[in-house]
Amino acid sequence: FQDGQKALSQNNYGEAERKLLAALKALESTATPVKDLKWASVYKDLASLYEIRSQFAKSESYLEKELRAREKALGSEHPQVLSAVARLCRFYLLHANQAKASRLSALLLNYAVRVQKEETQLDGHFAELNKFFARHSEYKEAESKLKQAKESAD
């Protein structure tokens, strides 16, 4: 499928379509979508191709397939899945499907709020540990390790 990606990046859309569809056909005969993220990559590239060509129904279909393939392989909150959700949301916004875009943007917003809350809680835990170490000098070495852990978490 890399030949199709290359053709797409070089704006050679006819060749890209032929190669990507051939890659999809080859995947259908050898791989299962649940285990192989190549499916998602081919779907994404076909979606891009068809959006460039103003074939919006095909583009939407492949964006939805990409999202389902990534969700099956990685789970619903993996960064690649969230990127696929964002691509589909962007597509819906650009092509006047506000209802679908609203649902997806709500998913992204809920995820962002939850991550922010978790980070705030984590910061609170680090603050409590810092207070503890300030009172207990016998754990001085642990305090430096805590600072290293906090820096790597940020």
Side-chain angles (χ1 to χ4, degrees), residues 1 6 31 53 73 101 105:
F1 75 98
K6 183 177 178 184
R53 289 181 149 186
S105 63

Side-chain angles (χ1 to χ4, degrees), residues 43-106:
Y43 292 150
K44 177 184 169 192
D45 291 338
L46 283 166
S48 296
L49 171 71
Y50 289 129
E51 187 170 9
I52 290 167
R53 289 181 149 186
S54 298
Q55 295 177 345
F56 301 123
K58 285 183 178 180
S59 181
E60 178 180 4
S61 173
Y62 281 113
L63 284 170
E64 290 170 346
K65 288 178 181 182
E66 177 207 2
L67 176 58
R68 284 193 301 274
R70 290 192 193 282
E71 281 179 328
K72 285 179 184 176
L74 302 169
S76 63
E77 292 191 359
H78 190 278
Q80 287 184 28
V81 174
L82 295 170
S83 292
V85 169
R87 276 189 292 280
L88 189 54
C89 184
R90 175 200 146 281
F91 178 87
Y92 290 144
L93 287 169
L94 289 174
H95 302 288
N97 194 331
Q98 299 302 316
K100 288 182 177 180
S102 179
R103 183 179 58 82
L104 293 179
S105 63

Side-chain angles (χ1 to χ4, degrees), residues 130-143:
N130 277 329
K131 288 178 192 175
F132 174 82
F133 290 126
R135 292 188 310 266
H136 298 279
S137 60
E138 66 270 24
Y139 298 115
K140 197 68 170 166
E141 184 180 317
E143 183 179 12

Side-chain angles (χ1 to χ4, degrees), residues 1 5 20-21 23-24 27 37-47 62:
F1 75 98
Q5 290 175 323
L20 290 169
L21 289 173
L24 192 59
L27 282 171
L37 283 173
K38 288 179 187 172
W39 288 84
S41 294
V42 173
Y43 292 150
K44 177 184 169 192
D45 291 338
L46 283 166
Y62 281 113

